[in-house]
Amino acid sequence: MKPTAREKRGLCGICSAGCWIVAAYDEEGRIIHVGPDEGSGMGIICPLGEHSPEIIYSGDRLLHPLKRKGPKGGYDFERITWDEAYATIVDRLNLIKGEYGAEAAAIYTGVGSFELSLCDVFQPAGVAVSSASSVLFPFGSPNTMGVGALCYVSYGMIAPHLTTGRMLINMFNDIEHSRMVILWGTNPATDSPPIEMHRVLRAKRSGARVVVIDPRRTTAAKLTDAEWIPIRPGTDGALALGMCNVLIREELHDEHFVTHWTVGFSEFSRYVQHFRPEVVEHITGVPAGTVVSLAREIAAARGVSQLMYTGMEYSHSGVQGIRAALVLWALAGQLDVPGGLCFSMPNSRFPVNRDGLIKNPVANPRLGRDRFPVYIHYRDEAHASALPDAVLRGIPYRVRSLIILGGSI
């Protein structure tokens, strides 16, 4: 569809995804409507994008730097120039560095920093993927951290790499050819952008069966008329291990894969004997019969996609639960097959020049290094869970300044 004179094609900037949209303007040049550019492969839009004019023209939107005048915790601010703002920030940072050391300054990055060019320019050197910011590295502080500590690193880096040798950036779900799609602890109907939801709906229209494993009957479950399997929060790993038990006990697992591509299968087989379906029912609330029937279905289907982000990460056993689900897919013969969870071909990603990236300073320890050594190994940044203790209790040392980029903590 060709835009009219008062419409323009463009990219939505309300988040970092950059969906293709058509924006309609009034006579004064103000945006009055935003919709998907249906002529584009990325011509989709989420509710946030649809309501972007309200955000853009909100009377509460900040358009200029503001400086607090009253006591901390109050709402008395005055407008200042950008030069004044930068000078104030620099002066305060240098004051803190001189009195407490550079590590007393930290930066926290949220979803608003996920724009790829920011990641390409500011992520720490030597890291596979990161939304952290190296802006304080030349200053001398190693303490960059972000929202990835809660979700992406466990799901997209640690769990898949330790289990399959690959990270999420090197994997994809072949939903278009799936005969079964399992949404496990995720609700793609609310994603920004809802790309996966559109793919799942197309798969549903093509005859794929959709199953939702979630404590709630989500919008995605309703839109796809999926089979909803309620589960007790935080028990997903037990469900995955229970289905692995069924596959091994009934000899439904992929024997060729086990022989050529696994380490420790005998030990794993003994371990999952503890997760009999009736035991899993007691742990998860999922009926034993459902544990058995779902395991059999996953093994029998011609291509099963696995969508899990985000949900399983938000528990004490999140990494191991995700690993158990990945093992389930491998044993069921749904790893790297048409319609399944697949690996991209080596060197198929667009190369980014990372010569200018800065390595995290090694002189001072990152926050959380003693508690989260695996996380630090993968991301070379501080762990956000260690920030409250540093601010409130001075453990391992006091953080006196925090820059928040595109986040809300």
Side-chain angles (χ1 to χ4, degrees):
M1 180 182 70
K2 186 176 180 180
T4 65
R6 290 184 180 170
E7 291 181 342
K8 292 183 179 179
R9 284 194 175 99
L11 301 180
C12 179
I14 212 68
C15 83
S16 59
C19 298
W20 289 49
I21 54 92
V22 174
Y25 297 80
D26 63 16
E27 294 180 356
E28 297 177 356
R30 291 168 58 95
I31 300 173
I32 56 176
H33 179 264
V34 176
D37 181 357
E38 297 177 353
S40 162
M42 274 285 286
I44 57 176
I45 196 168
C46 69
L48 192 63
E50 288 180 332
H51 292 277
S52 57
E54 300 171 33
I55 299 172
I56 293 170
Y57 302 117
S58 169
D60 297 322
R61 183 184 176 194
L62 295 180
L63 301 176
H64 312 281
L66 298 177
K67 183 177 181 179
R68 178 169 45 83
K69 292 194 302 182
K72 187 175 291 186
Y75 298 93
D76 191 8
F77 291 86
E78 63 179 348
R79 178 177 170 179
I80 60 176
T81 67
W82 284 104
D83 286 343
E84 289 174 317
Y86 288 130
T88 300
I89 293 170
V90 170
D91 288 346
R92 293 290 179 86
L93 286 174
N94 283 329
L95 184 66
I96 289 169
K97 181 178 181 179
E99 189 169 352
Y100 304 105
E103 67 272 16
I107 182 170
Y108 177 93
T109 58
V111 177
S113 68
F114 286 6
E115 207 282 319
L116 290 179
S117 64
L118 279 176
C119 297
D120 291 341
V121 172
F122 290 110
Q123 78 169 44
V127 178
V129 57
S130 177
S131 59
S133 174
S134 63
V135 70
L136 290 179
F137 289 179
F139 181 74
S141 173
N143 288 319
T144 179
M145 65 197 81
V147 67
L150 303 176
C151 50
Y152 181 83
V153 179
S154 58
Y155 172 72
M157 300 181 76
I158 298 175
H161 191 247
L162 292 178
T163 311
T164 71
R166 305 292 288 276
M167 295 187 187
L168 182 65
I169 56 173
N170 304 119
M171 304 172 73
F172 65 95
N173 280 289
D174 187 21
I175 298 175
E176 286 73 15
H177 299 99
S178 297
R179 302 313 301 160
M180 187 177 188
V181 179
I182 296 184
L183 308 181
W184 198 331
T186 187
N187 183 21
T190 61
D191 286 353
S192 298
I195 298 174
E196 300 292 62
M197 190 69 241
H198 284 256
R199 296 178 69 201
V200 172
L201 287 171
R202 286 196 296 268
K204 173 71 175 181
R205 290 193 292 269
S206 298
R209 172 164 144 70
V210 181
V211 176
V212 171
I213 303 172
D214 201 289
R216 305 168 302 148
R217 186 168 182 261
T218 61
T219 303
K222 297 172 185 176
L223 289 175
T224 57
D225 193 25
E227 177 188 356
W228 173 43
I229 300 177
I231 185 171
R232 185 172 292 118
T235 64
D236 306 89
L239 176 59
L241 292 173
M243 288 192 279
C244 289
N245 175 305
V246 173
L247 297 185
I248 296 170
R249 188 185 66 217
E250 297 186 2
E251 298 184 351
L252 299 175
H253 61 280
D254 187 337
E255 187 66 39
H256 181 271
F257 182 91
V258 166
T259 301
H260 294 90
W261 296 100
T262 64
V263 176
F265 179 71
S266 297
E267 294 85 349
F268 179 79
S269 298
R270 290 195 294 271
Y271 178 70
V272 298
Q273 289 177 11
H274 298 287
F275 293 88
R276 301 183 306 278
E278 58 272 20
V279 174
V280 172
E281 178 176 354
H282 177 73
I283 296 172
T284 67
V286 177
T290 301
V291 176
V292 174
S293 62
L294 184 59
R296 291 171 177 169
E297 279 191 82
I298 293 174
R302 291 182 292 108
V304 184
S305 285
Q306 174 200 79
L307 280 71
M308 295 193 299
Y309 186 62
T310 61
M312 291 173 68
E313 310 89 283
Y314 299 127
S315 68
H316 292 300
S317 58
V319 170
Q320 294 298 74
I322 296 166
R323 295 187 69 201
L326 291 170
V327 171
L328 170 63
W329 252 246
L331 294 182
Q334 302 296 348
L335 195 63
D336 213 25
V337 297
L341 179 61
C342 302
F343 298 122
S344 58
M345 294 189 66
N347 303 317
S348 62
R349 289 179 58 83
F350 183 80
V352 176
N353 185 348
R354 295 184 170 181
D355 292 343
L357 296 184
I358 305 172
K359 189 170 179 58
N360 200 319
V362 295
N364 301 304
R366 302 111 176 88
L367 293 178
R369 189 173 188 175
D370 55 337
R371 294 170 54 195
F372 307 101
V374 177
Y375 177 90
I376 301 296
H377 172 76
Y378 276 89
R379 293 281 276 203
D380 201 15
E381 65 182 67
H383 196 291
S385 294
L387 181 62
D389 276 345
V391 173
L392 300 175
R393 302 169 61 195
I395 299 174
Y397 47 80
R398 187 81 62 180
V399 168
R400 302 279 183 171
S401 173
L402 180 64
I403 299 172
I404 302 174
L405 174 62
S408 176
I409 60 174

